[in-house]
Amino acid sequence: GAGVSQSPSNKVTEKGKDVELRCDPISGHTALYWYRQSLGQGLEFLIYFQGNSAPDKSGLPSDRFSAERTGGSVSTLTIQRTQQEDSAVYLCASSSIRDSLGETQYFGPGTRLLVL
Amino acid sequence: GNSVTQMEGPVTLSEEAFLTINCTYTATGYPSLFWYVQYPGEGLQLLLKATKADDKGSNKGFEATYRKETTSFHLEKGSVQVSDSAVYFCALSDQETSGSRLTFGEGTQLTVNP
């Protein structure tokens, strides 16, 4: 079956431009996560969607970052007025939350963002 | 808050050597523990996990035991192969204090030479 897919795989943009990154989770997975992987910062949590609940945005680094999830499936991460420090690999993951702890998160291949 | 500390890398071994990558954690709740692996040019994949104290996770010859008394989840493999060369991440999720998000360690680069 299809895994988590992300697009684009690579994105080069100029400082100050807006970018949109897309994530298609595994079909039927109710939980969706965005993480960022950058040199010096490692892997950082950004935002978490679970079903119809309000998202957990506590990891977003600034108000230039926003994300939405339409119809409980596809998600878009938007970065406005990009800065060079936004350069990183943006990872999306999904999981099927049940009652038990430790539900496995399945990661997409990531979008590599370079801000010039 | 929650945190994960991994042994510093990079680690370079010869084929068939024994591998240990240390991982310790700090959590206020009762976390689940994971090892994820990132092969060159690929995305993160779950290697193994353990959800409660004394559980042992295992996969592909790798093992890790959830040690609550030492707050550790060290990764071991008895005989590594060249194909094990990758970056390994220890992680935790703590439903009580931080929902289902994963908190990752810094990652350990492993290179296995033939």
Side-chain angles (χ1 to χ4, degrees):
Chain A
V4 178
S5 59
Q6 293 186 244
S7 60
S9 54
N10 290 280
K11 176 73 177 178
V12 181
T13 190
E14 295 179 348
K15 178 181 171 181
K17 302 277 189 180
D18 297 352
V19 295
E20 284 190 353
L21 312 180
R22 177 187 167 105
C23 171
D24 282 90
I26 293 172
S27 177
H29 279 189
T30 57
L32 186 147
Y33 309 78
W34 284 97
Y35 295 88
R36 178 168 72 172
Q37 186 175 22
S38 54
L39 288 176
Q41 297 295 324
L43 273 155
E44 307 170 276
F45 165 80
L46 297 177
I47 188 169
Y48 160 53
F49 297 88
Q50 167 57 2
N52 295 321
S53 302
D56 176 357
K57 303 179 182 181
S58 57
L60 295 178
S62 77
D63 58 7
R64 296 186 295 104
F65 288 72
S66 62
E68 62 178 22
R69 189 179 185 191
T70 53
S73 181
V74 171
S75 177
T76 303
L77 177 69
T78 301
I79 309 174
Q80 295 179 309
R81 306 181 302 282
T82 52
Q83 304 294 312
Q84 288 180 332
E85 61 262 27
D86 299 335
S87 296
V89 178
Y90 289 82
L91 296 171
C92 178
S94 70
S95 69
S96 174
I97 296 291
R98 303 189 195 96
D99 293 332
S100 61
L101 296 174
E103 198 63 45
T104 298
Q105 294 183 25
Y106 296 87
F107 283 80
T111 293
R112 187 176 299 275
L113 174 66
L114 178 60
V115 182
L116 301 176
Chain B
N2 299 328
S3 67
V4 176
T5 303
Q6 285 181 239
M7 70 183 286
E8 291 184 14
V11 174
T12 302
L13 296 173
S14 298
E15 208 164 22
E16 299 183 2
F18 184 85
L19 168 71
T20 300
I21 301 178
N22 289 337
C23 171
T24 57
Y25 67 90
T26 301
T28 52
Y30 297 92
S32 296
L33 302 174
F34 305 82
W35 278 99
Y36 277 83
V37 59
Q38 189 171 35
Y39 297 103
E42 298 185 17
L44 278 169
Q45 303 174 25
L46 177 70
L47 180 60
L48 53 83
K49 69 179 184 183
T51 58
K52 61 183 187 297
D54 299 325
D55 270 2
K56 178 186 284 188
S58 61
N59 186 26
K60 299 182 181 180
F62 290 88
E63 293 184 339
T65 301
Y66 189 142
R67 300 285 187 204
K68 190 162 183 275
E69 63 276 13
T70 54
T71 61
S72 65
F73 193 55
H74 305 321
L75 183 68
E76 296 182 337
K77 186 173 186 182
S79 176
V80 293
Q81 305 300 311
V82 173
S83 57
D84 294 327
S85 298
V87 181
Y88 291 81
F89 293 90
C90 186
L92 70 81
S93 70
D94 182 354
Q95 289 271 2
E96 290 187 28
T97 61
S98 58
S100 299
R101 73 177 71 173
L102 288 168
T103 300
F104 288 91
E106 305 86 356
T108 301
Q109 171 79 55
L110 170 67
T111 301
V112 180
N113 294 318

